Amino acid sequence: MAAAPTAVYEQLTILLTLGVVSHLFSKRFHQSTLIGEIVIGILLAPSLLGQFGIFVFDATFVQTFAALGAIFLLFLIGMESDFRALYTRKNFLVALGGVVLPLFFGFATALYLAPPSTVPAGSSQQLMALFVGATLTATSTAIAASVLLELGLMKSDIGRTIMGAAVVDDILGLLVLSVVVGVAHGNLEALGIAFVMVKAVGFIVIGILVGVYFFSPIVVRVQILGLKLGVKHGGFLIALALALFYSLVAETIGLSAIIGAFLAGTLFASGPLKEEFTDGAQYLEAVFTPIFFISLGLNVSIVAVLATPPIFLFTVALVVVAMVTKMAGCAIAARLQNMTLLESLAVGWGMTPRGEVGLIVALTALTAGIIGESLFSVVVFVIIVVSIAPAPLFKQALQAVDQERRAKQGAAAKPQD
């Protein structure tokens, strides 16, 4: 049943105000804004303040706006993901190390330690574990970028490696999500999984080719014609329609809508309209994405995590696995690419915080009935912890790298006796 117009106005007023409050709260404590948005949602969830009826949100309304928030967010991330600039051997191998270890050990941890009560009817322990592993693969580009910008190292070699690997990491994470969603639809045999892989890769390849050679030129022409006729944002609106169309196609063929939105964004990553489209998408992202992250918090029962001993122990184990495997996988890969020990450690800590894609994977699993609300609460809690905890270590590691670099430059500048 659709919410009445007055209810929509009321809930949008509350959600947008809470989004701003959460941003101020997050920045006050030097954290990513998504952390504050999730925390606000957790506090207002039915298991905490929500049980007193302080704010009552219409579930259908919140889910609709949250879905748009996820699509606009991934469209924006896609526009920052120029494959030609990011796909280097070093970035790919660092990202691969940060995907394989968390996926494998996350799967094993959930398979053997997650209480059976966390698996809803119609799902299975193996499928649940696969989704849990997938949620641990993606890295938070926002958190890594904020620290690199603060220290003035965004354009350094280590900064380019971390940011490039983080984006490639998200791309690989989305590919993993495609396979996992396909498996969730019943493709459990090797042949079925291979078909899902082919379908996912085929969608990416065909989507890029058709987009680059057919859709992108149309968008540019619409923008030029619109400017001549006084229609300022015609190209952007067509690009946005294209993002929604790619999302529709992705959902129709059994993938996730966010994969389509991300792919549509990459079509404009190196085009002449990137800056203008990015500005437009940022406004939409600023409105809808906070609602998405608040909605994640609304689905979290922190009481279920902390008050149930088996679930709490599993949560602790998953936090350790999430931090150690991502850090080790990326650091080892970086070391094998001839980076110094300090640089490798910095890369590992920089890749450890999880972010938007992992949370969207978790929500996909929840809405598909693969995991229950208690396990969803565990995953969100774990992502919050591993997004906050590594930041000081990352900053210290970067400072050590910078000191090491300055020492080498000083030694090289000394006159020879």
Side-chain angles (χ1 to χ4, degrees), residues 1 3 54 63 94 98 108 124 130 134 137 145 167 187 204 221 245 270 275 352 357 376 387:
M1 184 176 178
I54 295 178
Q63 287 172 4
V94 170
S124 68
L130 195 56
T137 59
V167 175
N187 297 306
I204 292 172
R221 288 173 187 171
F245 173 69
S270 58
E275 185 175 344
T352 299
V357 175
F376 177 79
S387 295

Side-chain angles (χ1 to χ4, degrees), residues 113-376:
L113 295 183
S117 60
T118 60
V119 184
S123 182
S124 68
Q125 192 84 7
Q126 291 79 9
L127 191 55
M128 173 275 296
L130 195 56
F131 261 101
V132 171
T135 63
L136 303 186
T137 59
T139 296
S140 173
T141 54
I143 294 174
S146 64
V147 177
L148 288 166
L149 284 171
E150 180 183 343
L151 298 178
L153 296 173
M154 179 64 79
K155 294 184 179 179
S156 66
D157 181 59
I158 189 171
R160 289 194 296 267
T161 298
I162 291 172
M163 294 309 299
V167 175
V168 175
D169 193 274
D170 280 352
I171 295 169
L172 293 176
L174 290 172
L175 185 58
V176 170
L177 174 61
S178 301
V179 175
V180 173
V181 169
V183 171
H185 290 163
N187 297 306
L188 294 174
E189 302 84 5
L191 185 60
I193 294 175
F195 175 70
V196 171
M197 281 289 293
V198 170
K199 184 166 59 174
V201 173
F203 174 65
I204 292 172
V205 172
I206 294 173
I208 290 175
L209 291 176
V210 174
V212 168
Y213 293 107
F214 180 70
F215 288 126
S216 292
I218 291 177
V219 171
V220 173
R221 288 173 187 171
V222 169
Q223 180 72 2
I224 294 172
L225 178 61
L227 290 175
K228 289 180 179 178
L229 298 176
V231 180
K232 193 174 182 181
H233 303 295
F236 173 69
L237 293 177
I238 296 298
L240 199 60
L242 185 62
L244 295 171
F245 173 69
Y246 270 45
S247 300
L248 171 64
V249 174
E251 283 281 347
T252 302
I253 65 174
L255 304 177
S256 174
I258 62 167
I259 297 169
F262 175 85
L263 191 60
T266 63
L267 301 179
F268 308 102
S270 58
L273 301 175
K274 176 190 173 182
E275 185 175 344
E276 182 175 343
F277 286 5
T278 299
D279 289 342
Q282 283 176 337
Y283 282 107
L284 290 172
E285 185 263 346
V287 173
F288 291 97
T289 301
I291 298 176
F292 168 71
F293 288 115
I294 291 173
S295 76
L296 293 181
L298 291 173
N299 286 315
V300 170
S301 174
I302 201 70
V303 175
V305 175
L306 300 178
T308 310
I311 294 179
F312 178 72
L313 292 175
F314 169 62
T315 303
V316 173
L318 201 59
V319 166
V320 174
V321 167
M323 289 189 65
V324 172
T325 56
K326 178 67 87 170
M327 195 279 174
C330 294
I332 291 171
R335 189 74 173 123
L336 292 174
Q337 295 304 300
N338 298 319
M339 299 187 78
T340 68
L341 179 59
L342 286 177
E343 288 174 337
S344 300
L345 291 174
V347 168
W349 287 123
M351 297 286 288
T352 299
R354 304 312 199 272
E356 303 83 1
V357 175
L359 291 166
I360 293 172
V361 172
L363 185 62
T364 301
L366 178 66
T367 54
I370 307 303
I371 64 176
E373 292 185 0
S374 60
L375 189 54
F376 177 79

Side-chain angles (χ1 to χ4, degrees), residues 29-45:
F29 294 98
H30 308 289
Q31 298 297 330
S32 171
T33 55
L34 69 87
I35 300 297
E37 291 159 359
I38 295 172
V39 169
I40 288 286
I42 291 174
L43 292 175
L44 297 178

